[in-house]
Amino acid sequence: MKNYYQPEIETMPLEQLQALQSERLVEQVQYVYDHVKYYHDKMDAAGVKPEDIKGIADLHKLPFITKDELRDQYPYGFLGVPLKDCVRIQSTSGTTGRRVVAFYTQADLDIWEECCARAIVAAGGTNEDVCHVCYGYGLFTGGPGLNGGSHKVGCLTLPMSSGNTDRQLQFMTDLGSTILCCTPSYAANLGEAVNERGLRDKIKLKAGIFGAEPWTEQMRKNIEESLGIKAYDIYGLTEISGPGVSFECEEQAGMHIQEDHFIPEIIDPDTGEVLPEGQVGELVFTCITKKAFPLLRYRTRDLCLLTREKCSCGRTHIRMKKPKGRSDDMMVVKGVNVWPSQIETVLLNQGYQANYQIVVDRVGNNDTIEVQVELTPEMAEAKDVPAAEREKQIMKGLKSMLGIRVNVKVVEPKTITRSEGKAVRVVDKRNLYQ
Ligand code: DLL
């Protein structure tokens, strides 16, 4: 069995790591220029030739890629290999309009799963473990990524997918799950259920690998106490591969970015200027090994800071601190990425105006989301459709757009406070970013 703690890579001296990155970057830029027409044209327009990129010091010369461009080029515009060489797609949550489809060759899948395997090993996983994966499976990367990583480590893998707490607890106790992989909010739910049902003595969990949404240190403490485990953070995004782009080691002090595959930068979200280490800004990734969906300088919109401070685990890969927010208005609600513009689209399609407010909260461990929308003066005057009927219609539209249940309240015209500046569309009471 291959050992997925790879000290020769994960503890590589910085100079050697940067030389490896430079070598891979030079090759990758030429590859992308030759294989992705959109980026070829973009480099030409920016006056940058592949030969201008001689190493990581030249990275800043390359143009950025944004999510909007990925959307505009849907589905094949960023494909770097013939379709016949792809073996998998995964996709971001969200509507058809907002969807991004990421492609993988078999070698890309191996890279991704290897990153997840490293995360499991960093959380203490070995082939003696029973790895209980209750991230969603399907287009979402959580389930498939951790599942693949768990196989690579040689754990007995339980592909549970999300939901059905009774079944989760039954398998957890009967099969002696030792590592739990799910969103932190679901882990908190499971923790509560385990204690309510008096199952604490019957579970064998020792570690959890939790991510896909922001969570606080207080949540970590609660989960660790309720399940009697050590809780590790894991980060990633579909566009860059999925979970495992970075993960925590036993120090639980920031997530090591897998720098042999992904080069991180922090930029000023307004100017695009690269910021020095230690400053908060927008995280940008360049993939230096992936071939099917090989993004260079992709803007994640996640705000965070990087540190190269020595980590006592021995890993030299740079650490990112927990994200501190977003430079766009995306929210992660019930594990799903939600943009206010998606909600607005549903409302406008049903004849309402853009006078609405979105209130996100957390009750116990569960997110709630409510949309309050004003009737138009004409609707209020006509009184032809009962409010409950209107709310039902909007809920249906939102469910189909977002895939999650949203509470809806229609209110009288001019009851939502008007802002004097930028409209305050979202009130997020959860305070998940610290
Ligand atoms: O959430 C991939 C993933 C699955 C990561 C399982 C970890 C575990 P997307 O659905 O594309 O991919 O959403 C990516 O989620 O840009 C962040 O805003 C947010 N996010 C992911 N992990 C974390 C984390 C998956 N640990 C978007 N902390 C990212 C805070 C996170 N936010």
Side-chain angles (χ1 to χ4, degrees):
M1 178 68 60
K2 188 171 167 188
N3 181 356
Y4 281 94
Y5 171 51
Q6 297 163 318
E8 71 285 3
I9 294 168
E10 293 181 71
T11 65
M12 198 180 248
L14 185 58
E15 227 170 83
Q16 216 178 318
L17 177 64
Q18 291 184 332
L20 175 75
Q21 288 181 322
S22 285
E23 186 188 318
R24 289 183 169 176
L25 177 68
V26 169
E27 207 177 287
Q28 183 80 342
V29 170
Q30 184 69 54
Y31 176 84
V32 174
Y33 189 77
D34 294 343
H35 293 84
V36 180
K37 182 174 180 315
Y38 179 86
Y39 202 75
H40 177 120
D41 294 348
K42 198 163 171 162
M43 279 176 66
D44 282 355
V48 192
K49 293 278 166 223
E51 46 279 19
D52 297 335
I53 309 300
K54 299 190 173 67
I56 51 173
D58 297 319
L59 185 58
H60 67 98
K61 295 179 182 164
L62 292 168
F64 294 115
I65 299 172
T66 64
K67 191 167 194 133
D68 282 343
E69 290 175 284
L70 299 188
R71 255 186 25 226
D72 293 346
Q73 294 302 312
Y74 170 91
Y76 299 129
F78 275 90
L79 199 59
V81 295
L83 204 51
K84 70 174 170 50
D85 293 344
C86 295
V87 297
R88 173 87 69 79
I89 66 151
Q90 302 288 157
S91 172
T92 56
S93 53
T95 59
T96 9
R98 282 275 172 189
R99 250 187 215 299
V100 170
V101 173
F103 296 83
Y104 303 75
T105 63
Q106 184 56 53
D108 295 338
L109 275 188
D110 284 337
I111 291 169
W112 173 28
E113 292 177 353
E114 182 163 318
C115 288
C116 290
R118 289 180 188 172
I120 293 171
V121 172
T126 69
N127 60 359
E128 308 270 333
D129 279 294
V130 178
C131 186
H132 188 117
V133 185
C134 41
Y135 284 113
Y137 279 65
L139 288 172
F140 177 56
T141 53
L146 271 307
N147 194 93
S150 171
H151 277 201
K152 281 211 185 315
V153 177
C155 303
L156 173 62
T157 309
L158 274 47
M160 301 299 301
S161 199
S162 49
N164 199 337
T165 300
D166 286 336
R167 192 179 57 190
Q168 304 283 0
L169 294 180
Q170 186 175 359
F171 275 84
M172 194 179 282
T173 47
D174 291 352
L175 287 149
S177 309
T178 53
I179 298 179
L180 176 65
C181 304
C182 61
T183 58
S185 42
Y186 195 54
N189 267 333
L190 285 172
E192 234 170 55
V194 161
N195 288 292
E196 273 164 19
R197 295 173 204 197
L199 294 174
R200 188 59 192 270
D201 292 342
K202 297 207 167 58
I203 59 167
K204 297 209 172 74
L205 287 178
K206 61 177 191 188
I209 304 177
F210 306 131
E213 61 183 7
W215 53 308
T216 59
E217 285 302 328
Q218 185 57 45
M219 276 181 80
R220 188 202 304 264
K221 200 161 160 265
N222 294 349
I223 295 170
E224 290 190 330
E225 280 171 9
S226 67
L227 288 169
I229 60 172
K230 209 162 159 174
Y232 297 83
D233 202 352
I234 184 167
Y235 167 92
L237 58 165
T238 315
E239 299 89 315
I240 300 302
S241 67
V245 171
S246 67
F247 54 78
E248 279 184 337
C249 62
E250 69 264 24
E251 298 302 320
Q252 296 171 301
M255 297 175 270
H256 291 280
I257 295 174
Q258 300 310 288
E259 286 190 277
D260 50 328
H261 297 298
F262 315 110
I263 305 180
E265 294 169 277
I266 294 288
I267 61 160
D268 178 323
D270 297 325
T271 63
E273 181 203 345
V274 179
L275 299 176
E277 185 198 318
Q279 281 198 27
V280 177
E282 184 181 330
L283 187 56
V284 171
F285 283 113
T286 294
C287 303
I288 46 176
T289 49
K290 274 177 14 155
K291 293 294 183 254
F293 202 60
L295 303 188
L296 302 177
R297 299 199 90 201
Y298 179 66
R299 293 185 61 161
T300 65
R301 299 288 175 189
D302 288 315
L303 298 176
C304 74
L305 67 82
L306 302 179
T307 172
R308 256 211 209 276
E309 258 171 48
K310 198 165 179 284
C311 182
S312 22
C313 78
R315 287 177 183 77
T316 47
H317 289 188
I318 202 163
R319 276 172 294 159
M320 57 180 270
K321 295 289 183 180
K322 272 184 181 299
K324 292 191 175 306
R326 301 265 313 166
S327 68
D328 64 3
D329 51 5
M330 186 191 92
M331 308 166 273
V332 188
V333 183
K334 304 182 190 189
V336 171
N337 301 347
V338 173
W339 280 267
S341 58
Q342 296 175 289
I343 292 173
E344 186 166 312
T345 303
V346 171
L347 298 176
L348 297 186
N349 282 346
Q350 295 195 17
Y352 298 86
Q353 287 165 0
N355 295 318
Y356 65 92
Q357 192 157 55
I358 304 164
V359 183
V360 184
D361 206 347
R362 187 159 275 185
V363 178
N365 304 311
N366 300 314
D367 290 337
T368 60
I369 172 165
E370 180 173 276
V371 173
Q372 296 160 4
V373 57
E374 286 181 7
L375 293 167
T376 63
E378 297 74 33
M379 289 170 177
E381 200 178 328
K383 288 198 178 71
D384 51 349
V385 186
E389 187 52 39
R390 289 190 173 281
E391 289 165 355
K392 218 165 108 191
Q393 259 329 98
I394 301 173
M395 276 170 80
K396 204 168 142 199
L398 290 173
K399 170 90 194 186
S400 121
M401 175 69 96
L402 306 170
I404 55 173
R405 191 190 141 87
V406 178
N407 291 328
V408 176
K409 210 149 116 200
V410 294
V411 295
E412 290 302 311
K414 303 222 170 353
T415 44
I416 292 175
T417 319
R418 300 290 189 265
S419 158
E420 296 192 342
K422 236 166 107 114
V424 183
R425 297 275 185 234
V426 181
V427 181
D428 193 335
K429 299 181 174 167
R430 298 173 300 175
N431 295 324
L432 291 176
Y433 291 114
Q434 290 169 320

